Amino acid sequence: MPEVIFAGPDGRLEGRYQPSTEKNAPIALVLHPHPQFGGTMNNKIVYDLFYMFQKRNFTTLRFNFRGIGRSQGEFDHGAGELSDAAAALDWVQSLHPDSKSCWVAGYSFGAWIGMQLLMRRPEIEGFISIAPQPNIYDFSFLAPCPSSGLIIHGDQDKVAPQKDVQGLVDKLHSQKGITITQKIMTGANHFFSNDAELLISECSDYLDRRLAGELADPRPKRLR
């Protein structure tokens, strides 16, 4: 798994990158939790998501947001981090011009950034949002949400309470043309302390079903 450094909007960004063996394979971008609370691309859940996509022969990238590890810049409360994510996707797409589709997966703060990126990049056809925090971050930009995806969270999450996540899911369920799959993990907290393996298993099952043509409404591709 090559270590990579690529240009971001505020200096260099550090990542880990694994190209697919197939020229036109989809791309997966994995986004880490909050930089000011210990979030890095080496978070275990982020690491496991990376390998989940890689095992399915996606071209896969995870990276450190600005100011983390060898990534330059300073924390920017989400705006700069969204620019970082867009630059990361630009970089991997420049290496794989034949790749026509992309997935984004994010955990906690990374889920918020990932869903904002989803709104801006029509080639993103699926998302996995782990423990999003609508009680802290504004998700009103999802109007409408353009792609089908998975929202997965724990019923013992004190950082992103279940009722707040449920409100976001209910709002997305009312939209036509997409399928939002929700998974509530019994006993799991925000950090999936004893449930990380089951979390990845649930995400893997969802991804496999999507790759088999399930859990998403057939619809015309959005133009880039």
Side-chain angles (χ1 to χ4, degrees), residues 60-72:
T60 310
L61 175 68
R62 70 187 201 268
F63 72 96
N64 279 326
F65 288 123
R66 55 184 60 202
I68 298 298
R70 293 163 64 202
S71 291
Q72 294 178 319

Side-chain angles (χ1 to χ4, degrees), residues 67-117:
I68 298 298
R70 293 163 64 202
S71 291
Q72 294 178 319
E74 295 181 357
F75 178 66
D76 192 36
H77 306 280
E81 287 74 17
L82 176 56
S83 296
D84 293 345
L89 187 52
D90 286 342
W91 177 79
V92 74
Q93 285 177 331
S94 73
L95 299 178
H96 299 272
D98 294 318
S99 179
K100 302 299 183 228
S101 69
C102 165
W103 277 65
V104 62
Y107 170 29
S108 192
F109 175 85
W112 181 52
I113 300 297
M115 294 190 84
Q116 291 180 78
L117 187 65

Side-chain angles (χ1 to χ4, degrees), residues 129-180:
S129 283
I130 297 172
Q133 298 167 271
N135 54 315
I136 296 173
Y137 303 116
D138 182 7
F139 281 82
S140 62
F141 56 82
L142 293 168
C145 179
S147 299
S148 298
L150 170 68
I151 295 178
I152 183 166
H153 56 113
D155 69 354
Q156 298 302 308
D157 191 330
K158 304 289 190 259
V159 178
Q162 183 178 338
K163 68 177 176 57
D164 296 291
V165 180
Q166 191 64 53
L168 171 62
V169 171
D170 291 347
K171 181 181 170 187
L172 296 179
H173 272 323
S174 68
Q175 297 182 11
K176 295 178 179 173
I178 60 165
T179 302
I180 300 299

